[in-house]
Amino acid sequence: MKSKFSLLILISALALLALCGIQAYLISNTYELKKTAFFNETAVAVSEIANDREIIALYESLMEVDLKDHLADYFNESITKRQVVDRFYRNADGYNKQFVNRYKVLQKAKGLGYDVTYRQKLRSIVIIDTPSTDTIFTATNSVRDHIFGEKFTSGIFRNINDARTVDTNEFIDRRGDSITINSYDFEVRTTHEIQVPHLQAIVLGRMWVLIAGSIILFLFVIGLLYYSIKNLIMQKKIAEVKTDFINNVTHELKTPLATLSIATKSLRNETIKKNPVAFENTLGIVERQNNRLQKLIDQVLTNSLSAEELQLHKEQVVDNVFFDNLISDFEISTQHAHLTVINKVYLPEVLLRVDRFHLTTALLNVLENAVKYGRDEVVITVSTQLIHTQYIIIIHDNGMGIEEKDQQAIFDKFYRAVYGNVHNVKGLGLGLYFTHQIIKAHAGTITLTSTEEQGTTFTIKLPL
Ligand code: ADP
């Protein structure tokens, strides 16, 4: 049964873990999809900005005026390739401030609700002077980050467009003896990229319903599983406790019933009938066993009452007198040859308002347990204290003690700690339950501390 239970819990935990894994996988997939969709949507908006007249004008000034001039100078051999590029970048720097400002204004007008950083990088400048080509610049020897736009941080960025411009440059060729008008084609390749600061937070923000829903559902499933397993354990415990209780009751009933059966048989016996002393003795046995059965049934009926069902009849009780009577009655009824009860009840007297009958039952249950679960030599100390408005009763015994694992459950209905050998000490597991209910009905508390093989201390606190 126990291993079946552990297996069930293990399978549930594994299923939950698998569910957790699948969920995490789905969320991460959704994140990637949402990120792509987000970039696409941003790319469309940014591409539209590129069609702005002012932006186009800046681009054209750079490509069609400045670059063409530098390429003409290069063709006329007055500057090197490196100088073409340097001058080109220097021109770009001159336009870039205006470019960035315009870009920001347009971006704001788009109402995206988040920042997008843009950059345009130069990839190559090639002169196509058929049949040969002359590469002025390629991205591999780039020392600069961008021509237009802003510097990116180290996060993710996305390429939104690779542009290729082919143009013809007509220029005054001064290389020969005479000045001629010459022309050649050139190609400029650029890359347009975007970066969104706080990308992760934005995409996750768009997924919050999904994430929150998943977390809530997941917690709900864990809660449900926890509740079901807890319930299952509880049901199992209740079933065990019930079986124990039935075993105990059966055992308790069997002895007086067997004695009654023998006694009634004896009463039919002619010799006994003729002997008045023996007859009287046997009748005495019947009477005692009958009383015992009655007590047992009362114990089950009365001691099962809860604090709410208890009807207290409170009266003024002088504590010293109450405890003196309680202890002497207990000593007489117990008839234990080696019992010592040390009375350390607080002096001077305190006037308590309690239900005398029920409080006596409650304390007797604790005192009787000290004998039932005690050694051959039983020493019980009953002491009391008055702290502020609390009257504290401490009952200490030198018995076998209660294991830590049982201490919590000791006040539960039908709970008996000595599971293995229930029949060694008689009991139904109701005594401390009833004591607890009585103290609760008095608005008090009962707690215990115990060390195995050394003894147990019960502390009862009653409000004055
Ligand atoms: P019962 O005595 O009928 O079994 P109780 O409710 O009085 O039921 O006690 C519950 C359990 O607590 C007992 O079965 C016993 O194992 C344990 N117990 C109670 N009092 C003591 C004690 N003073 N020392 C050791 N064990 C105790």
Side-chain angles (χ1 to χ4, degrees):
M1 183 76 181
K2 202 169 174 191
S3 63
K4 236 185 188 175
F5 226 68
S6 312
L7 194 72
L8 185 78
I9 294 175
L10 187 78
I11 291 173
S12 308
L14 285 178
L16 207 68
L17 225 70
L19 200 73
C20 183
I22 292 171
Q23 193 76 3
Y25 173 74
L26 289 177
I27 288 182
S28 110
N29 257 5
T30 313
Y31 174 78
E32 286 306 323
L33 287 175
K34 286 247 175 213
K35 197 171 79 184
T36 310
F38 173 78
F39 261 134
N40 288 344
E41 168 192 321
T42 313
V44 170
V46 172
S47 303
E48 284 167 10
I49 293 176
N51 296 331
D52 175 68
R53 264 213 247 143
E54 195 176 326
I55 296 266
I56 292 174
L58 287 170
Y59 185 77
E60 282 176 356
S61 300
L62 182 67
M63 296 293 178
E64 290 176 19
V65 181
D66 300 334
L67 183 61
K68 277 182 181 175
D69 276 355
H70 307 321
L71 287 178
D73 288 347
Y74 168 72
F75 233 84
N76 284 323
E77 292 164 356
S78 58
I79 56 173
T80 61
K81 285 182 187 178
R82 178 71 191 257
Q83 283 172 314
V84 171
V85 178
D86 283 349
R87 287 180 185 188
F88 175 76
Y89 273 119
R90 212 173 306 134
N91 297 138
D93 283 349
Y95 299 125
N96 197 30
K97 200 166 181 242
Q98 194 186 344
F99 179 94
V100 171
N101 285 343
R102 180 67 187 157
Y103 170 84
K104 284 198 172 148
V105 169
L106 292 172
Q107 194 209 314
K108 208 166 182 185
K110 286 268 165 216
L112 290 175
Y114 50 85
D115 271 348
V116 185
T117 320
Y118 167 87
R119 75 177 172 195
Q120 186 176 359
K121 285 176 89 169
L122 180 66
R123 288 184 56 202
S124 63
I125 303 172
V126 178
I127 293 173
I128 311 162
D129 191 19
T130 13
S132 67
T133 59
D134 186 7
T135 303
I136 306 293
F137 170 85
T138 55
T140 43
N141 55 19
S142 168
V143 281
R144 295 284 300 262
D145 183 62
H146 57 268
I147 40 177
F148 285 134
E150 290 169 284
K151 225 176 151 49
F152 282 4
T153 57
S154 56
I156 324 169
F157 58 90
R158 167 88 181 262
N159 177 348
I160 57 166
N161 186 21
D162 280 333
R164 176 173 177 263
T165 313
V166 179
D167 204 348
T168 306
N169 192 12
E170 275 193 0
F171 71 105
I172 302 163
D173 192 343
R174 294 191 185 92
R175 284 176 297 175
D177 295 336
S178 58
I179 294 172
T180 54
I181 301 285
N182 206 341
S183 82
Y184 58 87
D185 288 345
F186 68 97
E187 178 210 70
V188 180
R189 283 177 191 262
T190 54
T191 309
H192 302 245
E193 290 164 346
I194 52 168
Q195 187 175 51
V196 180
H198 317 299
L199 170 77
Q200 206 170 4
I202 295 169
V203 178
L204 286 178
R206 288 181 173 197
M207 288 171 63
W208 81 267
V209 175
L210 179 78
I211 294 173
S214 299
I215 291 173
I216 291 172
L217 258 177
F218 200 66
L219 288 179
F220 181 71
V221 171
I222 290 180
L224 212 68
L225 202 72
Y226 171 77
Y227 180 73
S228 310
I229 290 175
K230 203 177 144 195
N231 239 358
L232 219 67
I233 292 173
M234 191 120 104
Q235 293 294 336
K236 189 173 156 261
K237 208 169 139 192
I238 289 173
E240 278 171 8
V241 165
K242 272 191 182 155
T243 317
D244 274 347
F245 173 67
I246 290 165
N247 286 345
N248 288 328
V249 170
T250 318
H251 174 77
E252 295 285 298
L253 290 176
K254 256 188 192 162
T255 327
L257 281 176
T259 322
L260 270 179
S261 157
I262 296 165
T264 41
K265 261 185 211 153
S266 309
L267 287 177
R268 287 188 191 283
N269 189 307
E270 287 305 321
T271 6
I272 302 260
K273 270 186 193 168
K274 281 177 197 152
N275 182 344
V277 181
F279 191 81
E280 205 46 49
N281 270 348
T282 319
L283 266 187
I285 293 174
V286 172
E287 213 167 53
R288 276 200 301 280
Q289 294 309 318
N290 187 32
N291 280 345
R292 195 170 155 193
L293 280 176
Q294 188 62 51
K295 224 175 127 187
L296 207 69
I297 289 164
D298 281 352
Q299 205 187 354
V300 175
L301 292 180
T302 323
N303 288 7
S304 300
L305 288 181
S306 68
E308 293 76 32
E309 290 165 327
L310 272 174
Q311 295 233 328
L312 296 187
H313 300 288
K314 288 192 182 171
E315 55 188 299
Q316 305 271 29
V317 172
V318 177
D319 70 335
N320 290 67
V321 181
F322 173 78
F323 279 103
D324 284 346
N325 290 342
L326 176 84
I327 291 169
S328 64
D329 285 357
F330 168 65
E331 280 170 334
I332 294 165
S333 67
T334 310
Q335 292 191 335
H336 192 289
H338 305 286
L339 169 69
T340 316
V341 184
I342 304 166
N343 186 343
K344 280 191 180 171
V345 172
Y346 176 81
L347 272 174
E349 289 170 348
V350 177
L351 209 58
L352 306 171
R353 235 188 104 69
V354 292
D355 182 318
R356 185 197 299 270
F357 174 75
H358 279 119
L359 190 64
T360 306
T361 314
L363 297 178
L364 274 180
N365 284 345
V366 178
L367 292 173
E368 278 164 8
N369 278 348
V371 175
K372 269 163 66 176
Y373 306 103
R375 304 161 190 279
D376 296 339
E377 199 81 46
V378 180
V379 181
I380 307 173
T381 314
V382 179
S383 50
T384 64
Q385 294 169 3
L386 185 67
I387 298 177
H388 303 300
T389 54
Q390 267 191 332
Y391 190 77
I392 301 167
I393 307 165
I394 300 159
I395 301 176
H396 173 76
D397 68 48
N398 64 335
M400 59 169 78
I402 302 167
E403 273 185 56
E404 187 123 7
K405 70 173 173 60
D406 291 320
Q407 289 182 11
Q408 282 280 322
I410 221 84
F411 299 107
D412 290 353
K413 210 174 191 176
F414 306 132
Y415 193 87
R416 303 205 70 215
V418 268
Y419 272 130
N421 48 1
V422 269
H423 301 317
N424 283 0
V425 183
K426 287 174 193 165
L428 299 176
L430 283 170
L432 285 185
Y433 166 76
F434 195 44
T435 298
H436 184 210
Q437 298 309 311
I438 293 172
I439 302 300
K440 219 165 106 182
H442 278 86
T445 58
I446 176 165
T447 50
L448 73 98
T449 52
S450 186
T451 315
E452 271 185 89
E453 301 304 327
Q454 284 189 28
T456 308
T457 307
F458 286 91
T459 307
I460 295 167
K461 290 182 182 169
L462 293 174
L464 273 189

